[in-house]
């Protein structure tokens, strides 16, 4: 076929292509994910006296335990709800004092060797649940938990002298049930 004739045929076909609607509305872009920026509040200030001998495995006494619903991570960094200077993190959504029964349940979960058998292995570590332990109006310990990846970090020992561990599905379910009892909205995923 003659190249000129082929060119004219292609040109004719392309000109007869159905026209697109010019009045079509542009697609809405999804909103950008909100990025939580962590900073430390100037008040309230807490007295900090972390007790390095605390052990969930052995059990420990404290005057009160406050459960905290918060975002304890920013990028690859994670934070306890109260820093070493006694300042509170800005991302706390809710807090509730645990009953004696709830604290005993928490201590039993975190201090049991069964909790850490057959752990789930996922690597996100985005703590959204925390517990702050008080004695004589001082913070004596803190624990942060990520229910999504079944990991925790604590200033109190869990088992075998560890301060952080991966835990199993049963413990995830128990900790999630405690989160629900406390009325916290931060779902694990």
């Amino acid at each position: 076929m003659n190249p000129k004739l082929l060119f004219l045929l292609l040109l004719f076909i392309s000109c007869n292509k159905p026209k697109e609607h010019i009045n079509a509305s542009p697609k809405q872009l999804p909103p950008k994910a909100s990025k939580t920026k962590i900073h430390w509040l100037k008040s309230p200030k807490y007295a900090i006296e972390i007790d390095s001998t605390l052990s969930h495995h052995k059990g420990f006494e404290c005057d009160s335990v406050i459960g905290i619903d918060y975002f304890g991570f920013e990028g690859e960094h994670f934070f306890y709800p109260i820093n070493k200077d006694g300042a509170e993190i800005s991302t706390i959504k809710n807090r509730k004092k645990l009953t004696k029964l709830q604290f005993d349940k928490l201590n039993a979960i975190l201090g049991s060797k069964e909790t850490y058998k057959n752990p789930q292995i996922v690597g996100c570590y985005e703590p959204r649940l925390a517990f702050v332990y008080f004695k004589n109006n001082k913070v004596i310990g803190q624990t942060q938990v990520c229910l999504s990846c079944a990991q925790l970090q604590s200033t109190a020992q869990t088992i075998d002298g560890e301060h952080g561990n991966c835990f199993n599905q049963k413990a995830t379910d128990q900790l999630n049930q405690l989160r629900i009892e406390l009325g916290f909205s931060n779902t694990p995923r």
Side-chain angles (χ1 to χ4, degrees), residues 6-145:
L6 181 61
F7 174 74
L8 287 174
L9 180 63
L10 290 174
L11 182 64
F12 177 75
I13 292 172
S14 68
C15 289
N16 287 330
K17 187 170 88 171
K19 302 274 186 214
E20 293 179 27
H21 287 315
I22 296 174
N23 295 341
S25 61
K27 290 184 178 182
Q28 292 286 333
L29 294 175
K32 289 185 177 182
S34 62
K35 187 167 181 158
T36 303
K37 185 72 177 150
I38 290 176
H39 60 275
W40 300 99
L41 303 176
K42 295 185 191 291
S43 66
K45 285 279 194 176
Y46 298 92
I48 303 291
E49 197 172 286
I50 300 297
D51 184 348
S52 61
T53 66
L54 293 182
S55 170
H56 288 285
H57 186 61
K58 296 174 186 170
F60 62 89
E61 293 294 320
C62 58
D63 299 334
S64 64
V65 180
I66 305 297
I68 297 189
D69 183 9
Y70 80 128
F71 288 100
F73 61 95
E74 185 175 70
E76 294 181 10
H77 304 283
F78 55 90
F79 306 93
Y80 286 106
I82 299 172
N83 70 13
K84 63 181 172 62
D85 298 323
E88 197 172 71
I89 199 165
S90 62
T91 57
I92 293 176
K93 296 170 72 177
N94 198 356
R95 68 189 92 222
K96 189 164 184 189
K97 184 177 179 178
L98 274 68
T99 64
K100 172 79 169 119
L101 182 63
Q102 289 170 327
F103 173 60
D104 290 344
K105 193 183 308 184
L106 175 65
N107 224 359
I109 296 167
L110 299 183
S112 171
K113 287 189 180 216
E114 294 300 313
T115 293
Y116 307 101
K117 287 184 179 177
N118 302 315
Q120 299 178 58
I121 307 296
V122 183
C124 67
Y125 202 63
E126 298 174 345
R128 297 171 190 261
L129 177 64
F131 301 94
V132 179
Y133 314 104
F134 290 88
K135 190 168 192 175
N136 299 324
N137 294 322
K138 295 177 184 172
V139 174
I140 60 168
Q142 300 184 74
T143 300
Q144 55 181 256
V145 180

